[in-house]
């Protein structure tokens, strides 16, 4: 049953063998039984990247708490381990009990990045299942996927049996009941179980839909069976307080990214940044009660032994009473615990908050102005003025920080060279502020190429070409070279192009993903393995144009590959927000202002859950500057 004796023979031949041994604090040793549905929860990246993933850990705990389920974990083996496994005939295995994947009923992936898609195919193949869903037999593994990337599931539609849209806490139990009953009945019909899964709200089964094209254009994606929904709605957990997970966070035996206690303080965001898919698809805002946060922190510290806590959300400084929560969090740890806020909203970062965070060990500070000019920030609805940024930077430097990172996007709609160079000006001014408090202040500009995402107002925007992104990057690089104290890092524009193909592609892109994988193109999100030419060659051989998929603007009446999926947002709301962007019109945060009827609350009869009716420091989209709001 366990492959450990065989794995032991190959582990001396690979780097970082601790990736594959399991045994973490908090690990569950499940009791498998024919009456239980067995899940292998997979993260399609390396162990050190995948282990901290909160979504996977939450589902791992929820499933293992149920009588009719068991769950274990798997991660993508690094290239050296894969070579050893294939040479020795070893399949994908769980790190918990080292069972082969074929001993499970469901292989389910967390998809948080499009560039892992080839790893998904590789893991399916290593698991011993046919890569294409149409080739699977009755009792082959059911392949599932969840995560933010599933809001456009079409590029992986030929390989994944079912996708889960939205929050997984509730729906995973409903899916488990379907799989458990199917298993107890002897797995009589794969089509029957897929039809049953399609009846679960929030579950999309792509093989049950017909796709029609007219030349390059997509005409329709429609169900081919009665009872299969025409539009699949996302799942939303109404009360985050009812799901205090993970209760027993995994503590690795080897170094991983984000190696700390993570506590989610709220879910959703209504700041309305037009480039941000996560903020759009996770609406409405649902805060966790502050007392529950303190309880989760205290229990987590006692169990794990960590001395660093991350209070996570899309904009943690917006959490009601955040300064008090940070203060009490540090008190729980006896003053020796450091607190990091991974998502810092510039206009909600105060001297008081900076003072609280630095009481123990200063963790890294990253602010995300996203754009260099006020005009550009109105376009993207990141309504923070220069004084907001400078106030946050001054707060940090005054409390002893000496370096920080500023994150920006380039290639945004209507962007000019003046907007690009304004990034350098912001960075220079931040360094100047730091010199009043420290001898050698340092500001790192991190620059990413903008990739439009589904269910955002920018989903109709034609992405900048690779040469144009490179021109803007080098324009900025040459400008910041003159300034001591300002460093610059940037994302490969060629990787942004491939991400763009996968993020807004249709089912035809699946053939490209499969060819890149079969040619050895795994770990494409790792710069040392990314191969732009492999992707472009596969696109050409399948008669597909990267320019058509990525660089052209979409029209209002175009059928988009994800139109049969619903994130709860009205399409006309997104289109109007796109028009507002082109008109440089900002939109206030609806947490503290009247409803704009985006659909996220009204469509699901759910309201924002916030502890305070008062906006955080900086106000509602607090700027001190008054944009012209045309709606509301």
């Amino acid at each position: 049953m366990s492959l450990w004796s065989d794995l032991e023979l190959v582990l001396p031949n690979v780097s970082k063998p601790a990736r594959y041994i399991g045994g973490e604090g908090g690990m569950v040793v499940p009791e498998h039984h024919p009456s239980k549905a067995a899940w292998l929860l997979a993260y399609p990246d390396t162990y050190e990247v995948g282990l901290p993933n909160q979504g996977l850990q939450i589902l791992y705990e929820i499933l293992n708490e149920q009588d009719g389920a068991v769950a274990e974990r798997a991660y993508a083996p690094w290239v050296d381990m894969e070579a050893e496994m294939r040479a020795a005939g070893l399949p994908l295995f769980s790190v918990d009990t080292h069972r082969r994947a074929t001993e499970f009923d469901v292989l389910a992936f967390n998809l948080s990045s499009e560039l892992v898609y080839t790893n998904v195919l590789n893991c399916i193949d290593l698991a011993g299942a046919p890569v294409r869903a149409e080739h699977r037999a009755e009792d082959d593994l059911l392949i599932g996927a969840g995560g933010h990337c599933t809001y456009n599931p079409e590029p992986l539609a030929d390989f994944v049996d079912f996708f889960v849209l939205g929050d997984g806490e509730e729906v995973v139990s409903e899916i488990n009941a379907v799989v458990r009953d199917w298993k107890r009945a002897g797995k009589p019909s794969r089509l029957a179980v897929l039809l049953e899964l399609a009846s679960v709200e929030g579950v999309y089964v792509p093989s049950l839909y017909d796709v029609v094209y007219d030349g390059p254009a997509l005409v329709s994606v429609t169900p081919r069976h009665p009872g299969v929904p025409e539009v699949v709605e996302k799942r939303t957990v109404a009360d985050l307080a009812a799901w205090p997970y993970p209760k027993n966070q995994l503590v690795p035996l080897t170094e991983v990214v984000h190696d700390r206690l993570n506590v989610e303080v709220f879910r959703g965001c209504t700041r309305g940044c037009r480039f941000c898919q996560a903020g759009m698809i996770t609406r409405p805002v649902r805060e966790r009660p502050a007392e529950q946060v303190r309880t989760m922190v205290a229990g987590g510290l006692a169990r794990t032994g960590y001395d660093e806590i991350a209070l996570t959300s899309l904009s943690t400084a917006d959490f009601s009473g955040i300064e008090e929560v940070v203060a009490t969090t540090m008190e729980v740890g006896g003053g020796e615990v450091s607190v990091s806020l991974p998502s810092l909203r510039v206009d909600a970062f105060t001297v008081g908050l900076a003072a609280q965070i630095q009481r123990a060990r200063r963790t890294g500070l990253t602010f995300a102005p996203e754009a260099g000019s006020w005009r550009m920030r109105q376009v993207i609805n990141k309504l923070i003025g220069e004084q907001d940024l400078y106030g946050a930077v001054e707060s940090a430097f005054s409390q002893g920080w000496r370096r920080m990172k500023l994150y920006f996007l380039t290639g945004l709609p209507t962007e000019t060279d003046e907007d690009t160079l304004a990034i350098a000006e912001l960075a220079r001014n931040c360094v100047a502020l730091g010199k009043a408090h420290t001898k050698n202040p340092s500001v790192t500009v991190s620059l990413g190429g903008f990739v439009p995402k589904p269910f955002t107002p920018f989903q109709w925007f034609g992405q900048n070409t690779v040469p144009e992104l490179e021109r803007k990057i080098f324009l900025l690089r040459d400008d910041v070279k003159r300034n001591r104290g300002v460093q610059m890092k940037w994302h490969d524009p060629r990787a942004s192009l491939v991400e763009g193909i996968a993020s807004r592609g249709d089912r035809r892109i699946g053939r490209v993903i499969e060819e890149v994988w079969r040619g050895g193109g795994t770990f494409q999100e790792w710069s040392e393995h990314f191969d732009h030419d492999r992707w472009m060659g596969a696109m050409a051989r399948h008669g597909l144009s990267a320019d058509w998929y990525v660089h052209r603007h979409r029209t209002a009446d175009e059928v988009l590959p994800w139109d049969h999926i619903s994130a709860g947002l009205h399409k006309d709301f997104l289109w109007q927000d796109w028009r507002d962007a082109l008109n440089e019109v900002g939109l206030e945060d609806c947490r503290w202002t009247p409803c704009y009827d985006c659909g996220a609350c009204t469509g699901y009869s759910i309201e924002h859950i916030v502890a305070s009716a008062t906006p955080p420091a900086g106000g509602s989209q607090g700027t001190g500057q008054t944009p012209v709001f045309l709606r509301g």
Side-chain angles (χ1 to χ4, degrees), residues 309-323:
I309 302 165
L311 302 177
T312 66
S313 74
L314 291 175
S315 184
T316 301
D318 282 343
F319 185 71
S320 300
I322 183 62
E323 287 189 28

Side-chain angles (χ1 to χ4, degrees), residues 27 48 51 53 57 168 203 207 339 351 359 379-380 448 475 515 527:
M27 189 192 84
E48 56 265 35
L51 181 124
N53 181 265
Q57 289 200 33
V203 176
S207 64
V339 177
V351 173
R359 279 169 50 196
V379 170
I380 66 176
L475 176 71
E515 181 175 323
S527 58

Side-chain angles (χ1 to χ4, degrees), residues 515-538:
E515 181 175 323
V516 172
W517 163 66
R518 291 194 183 279
T522 57
F523 289 100
Q524 293 298 282
E525 74 281 20
W526 293 70
S527 58
E528 63 265 41
H529 291 283
F530 174 72
D531 192 332
H532 167 266
D533 293 341
R534 196 189 298 273
W535 286 94
M536 294 303 102

Side-chain angles (χ1 to χ4, degrees), residues 241 244-247 261-266 287-303 309-312 319-334 337 339 356 359 611:
Y245 291 89
K247 299 175 182 176
L261 179 67
N262 294 290
V263 176
E264 183 184 28
V265 296
F266 72 84
E287 286 195 3
R288 193 181 296 284
E291 184 56 39
Q292 187 178 70
V293 171
R294 286 188 282 269
T295 299
M296 292 175 71
V297 166
L301 289 174
R303 284 189 304 271
I309 302 165
L311 302 177
T312 66
F319 185 71
S320 300
I322 183 62
E323 287 189 28
E324 181 184 353
V325 169
V326 169
T328 55
T329 294
M330 299 183 76
E331 289 169 7
V332 167
V337 172
V339 177
Q356 291 289 358
R359 279 169 50 196

